[in-house]
Amino acid sequence: MKTFAFFLVLSAIALIAASPAYAEGLTPQDYMEIEQLYAQYNWAIDTGDAGAYANTFIADGVFNSMTGHEQLAGFIKRWVETMNGATRKHWNTNLKISGDGDTASGQVYLMLLDTSTQPPAIVATATYTDSLVKTQDGWRFSKRSTQSDRAPRAAN
């Protein structure tokens, strides 16, 4: 019985490894590394770590209107010092990723919480739309843009 179970598991692994879904696209390892990049981004911005934040991007990476590590790091300094960033937390959900193994695109919902109030308050919701590239140092954002959600207009 153990031998049969072993061969069953081995067969399942072989089928997954040979699956066309991974043959020309992202591997499970790619998905995991990209998910970790999203987490690193959020932790870096929420802790005010400007260098770590900038390092989630390629050297000439773009976030909205800012380009390159110097501008990206400067944004985090402003975020903490003048934009109440020290009391805000980024929550992402519904991550959608596709790609070819060298590049990828991603979309994720953002909910921004203000933790200085009790209970914490939702400050904003938005969607990130991302372009990513696989570098020798791992996956990095090449471009991130945000689209804020707008409340629907009241009916007249």
Side-chain angles (χ1 to χ4, degrees):
M1 187 65 165
K2 287 183 182 179
T3 304
F4 176 74
F6 172 77
F7 284 114
L8 195 61
V9 169
L10 192 59
S11 297
I13 291 171
L15 282 173
I16 291 170
S19 169
Y22 299 123
E24 295 180 15
L26 299 171
T27 66
Q29 183 71 29
D30 289 325
Y31 283 106
M32 191 168 53
E33 289 176 13
I34 291 170
E35 287 176 4
Q36 287 301 298
L37 177 66
Y38 278 82
Q40 290 167 2
Y41 175 97
N42 288 333
W43 278 93
I45 194 171
D46 290 345
T47 60
D49 189 337
Y53 174 82
N55 286 334
T56 63
F57 290 85
I58 60 173
D60 61 347
V62 176
F63 175 64
N64 290 334
S65 62
M66 294 159 282
T67 302
H69 280 199
E70 187 175 318
Q71 287 185 8
L72 294 168
F75 165 66
I76 297 306
K77 291 177 184 171
R78 287 188 310 281
W79 173 255
V80 171
E81 294 170 4
T82 64
M83 300 168 68
N84 298 325
T87 62
R88 297 191 172 177
K89 301 284 187 227
H90 290 72
W91 294 85
N92 291 164
T93 188
N94 295 339
L95 176 59
K96 184 171 74 168
I97 306 167
S98 62
D100 63 15
D102 295 320
T103 62
S105 61
Q107 287 185 296
V108 67
Y109 292 140
L110 163 68
M111 182 172 55
L112 186 61
L113 294 177
D114 182 348
T115 60
S116 69
T117 65
Q118 291 302 320
I122 298 172
V123 176
T125 60
T127 302
Y128 284 108
T129 301
D130 306 310
S131 297
L132 304 98
V133 295
K134 192 172 193 175
T135 72
Q136 66 183 14
D137 297 318
W139 285 94
R140 297 291 184 268
F141 295 110
S142 57
K143 182 177 181 183
R144 292 203 92 185
S145 59
T146 54
Q147 177 65 48
S148 295
D149 294 330
R150 304 273 185 240
R153 291 182 175 202
N156 291 337

